[in-house]
Amino acid sequence: MPLRILPLLFYLAVWTGCNAQQDQPPTTDNSPYTFDTPSRDGTGKYYLGREISHVMGHFAADWLERPEREEEENVSQAIANMEIQPDEEIADIGAGSGYYTFRMAQKVPQGKVYAVDIQPEMLDLMRTRIEREGIENVELIRGTESSPELEANSIDLAIMVDVYHELAYPREMMQNIVGALRPGGRFVLLEYRMEDPTVPIKTLHKMSEEQAVREMEAVGLTLRENIDNLPWQHCMVFVKDKTLN
């Protein structure tokens, strides 16, 4: 195993839940979730047949900013795939240390990036950089487990990078994201490819295209394309129907 993979396997074994905002949407008889004995890396909570994984906490911030990430994941290409326009308003959901946030902010000089995270430690890391560098088009938002806390019809693009599989309430979160997207808005989902056994990531931290499409269709998003030009990840572009408000 390449030595550069070892930090990844370490950080994927570190879980934190104490710093998340523990909002608990009410459970109803028609809840989309089921429960079973947790697997080694899972929560025991299932959504549409997929076990939700534990969350990678703020202790992994150094790994998110590792120098070799560009080579391993081709982040520049992933951002190019998003076809960002200079005046767009973008939400980086689960922004973490801001690795994508600050790169996208450079693409929207007339726009804005909302960096959404539930961990105050991650928000503090980004705030320090914003103040140090005088960045004016990044706004920090503390989301909850079920909502990004964005206004309705306020963004052109939302992205999640290796975050979706950890969401405690994926149905509610995605419904709120769809509500925040303007008609015709895009949702870009980057997840490690379940279909590729050579991707050196634990199984619960991968997703298949089939599973992703199933879960996005449940909230009214349609797959426009899965751009297959990244080393390890799917780059799936979903769109909101222009007739939806």
Side-chain angles (χ1 to χ4, degrees), residues 139-209:
E139 180 176 330
L140 303 180
I141 297 179
R142 189 176 183 188
T144 71
E145 288 189 320
S146 61
S147 174
E149 299 296 318
L150 295 167
E151 294 183 5
N153 297 309
S154 62
I155 56 174
D156 304 291
L157 168 66
I159 78 162
M160 282 192 200
V161 181
D162 307 322
V163 169
Y164 180 78
H165 62 273
E166 299 178 349
L167 296 179
Y169 296 94
R171 176 70 65 86
E172 293 83 353
M173 177 63 82
M174 290 309 306
Q175 286 173 332
N176 284 314
I177 289 173
V178 170
L181 284 171
R182 295 178 176 126
R186 315 182 309 284
F187 173 63
V188 174
L189 179 64
L190 273 73
E191 287 283 348
Y192 292 111
R193 295 192 297 269
M194 177 72 77
E195 298 89 338
D196 186 351
T198 68
V199 174
I201 303 295
K202 292 184 177 183
T203 300
L204 284 190
H205 292 267
K206 297 181 179 182
M207 282 195 74
S208 68
E209 177 183 326

Side-chain angles (χ1 to χ4, degrees), residues 81-122:
N81 289 345
M82 299 174 193
E83 300 181 342
I84 294 170
Q85 302 304 305
D87 61 347
E88 287 193 311
E89 296 190 73
I90 303 169
D92 184 1
I93 313 295
S97 62
Y99 191 87
Y100 270 77
T101 293
F102 295 113
R103 285 161 176 78
M104 293 190 300
Q106 296 174 6
K107 303 285 187 181
V108 288
Q110 291 88 49
K112 179 181 286 189
V113 179
Y114 299 96
V116 181
D117 209 281
I118 67 173
Q119 299 182 80
E121 296 87 354
M122 292 296 197

Side-chain angles (χ1 to χ4, degrees), residues 2 10 18 33 35 45 49 72 95 114 142 180 185 201 232 240:
F10 168 76
C18 58
Y33 308 109
F35 298 85
K45 183 177 182 179
E72 290 176 350
Y114 299 96
R142 189 176 183 188
I201 303 295
W232 289 349
K240 176 180 178 178

